[in-house]
Structure formats: C-alpha cells, structure tokens
Amino acid sequence: MNELYTAEALATGAGRDGHVVTKDGQVEFDLAAPESMGGSGDGANPEQLFASGYAACFHGALQLVAKKDGVDVADSSIGSQVTLGKDDEGNLQLAVILEVVLPGVEKAKAQDLADKAHQVCPYSRATRGNIDVEIRVAED
C-alpha cells in the first residue's frame, strides 16, 4: 500500500467509559456507554465515531464517482446508522445503514452512483463480508 495518511489515536480509561485523543489533538473527548447499554450516555461512544467516519468517507467516495460521471452532487448528504447487536451465538456485531440523499438526481442514477461509491469507499471495502451494510437511496 502506498501510504497517504495515518491517523493515530489513544484510548485510555475504562474502554467505553474512557477517554480518546488523537495524536494531533484535533479530536479529544470522554467516552460513555449509551444508557441503553447501562451507561450514563454522557459522552460519545465508538459506534457514533464509526458512524461519523463511515458517513464522511462514503460521502467523499460518492463525490468522486459523481464527478467522474459528470453529475453535480453539491447538495448531497449521507446519513449513517451503526447498530451494535448480538448474533445468534451472543457475540457482539455491527450493522450499518447508509442513507444517500441526492437532491435533483433521478432515482436510478442516484442508485447507480451509490452502488459505485460502495465499491470504492475504503470503509465499505474494509467492512465488506464482515458486517451487514445496507445502502438506501432516498426519494428525491
């Protein structure tokens, strides 16, 4: 791999009830398990971080493929839901839903762009075959 960028972060404390900081100090905050998992909910959690990162990365991939196809997606947005659950054996696992919003783009073309973005997005490639990822294209 030809390295373009490396992010570094440090987690300390008690895992989901700890603290995270990136080496450059651009991201720093306390973590807290959500109330639905018995925590205080008074901080961010890993699923929120993953949802944010995946949405941003997928949005960049969408903009890249749209530009190649000559489609203006300046008003586009990506919603991301990351769910933490348990499989049939009780193991924790993730599932993702990405909602692609492309105002002014015909539904079939929007779906085509979303499918292409899903093929090139690094997060999609990293998770493919490991977790369920559903891509939903919103009606214009």
Side-chain angles (χ1 to χ4, degrees), residues 63-120:
Q63 291 169 337
L64 176 72
V65 299
K67 183 176 182 179
K68 287 182 181 179
D69 278 14
V71 179
D72 180 11
V73 295
D75 294 330
S76 63
S77 63
I78 305 296
S80 176
Q81 297 176 26
V82 173
T83 300
L84 178 65
K86 290 188 178 183
D87 65 16
D88 294 337
E89 291 142 18
N91 299 310
L92 292 173
Q93 69 179 40
L94 297 173
V96 175
I97 298 172
L98 296 174
E99 184 176 25
V100 179
V101 180
L102 295 171
V105 178
E106 173 197 290
K107 173 91 174 180
K109 184 59 180 176
Q111 185 66 58
D112 178 60
L113 292 171
D115 292 343
K116 288 177 180 176
H118 193 43
Q119 293 305 307
V120 301

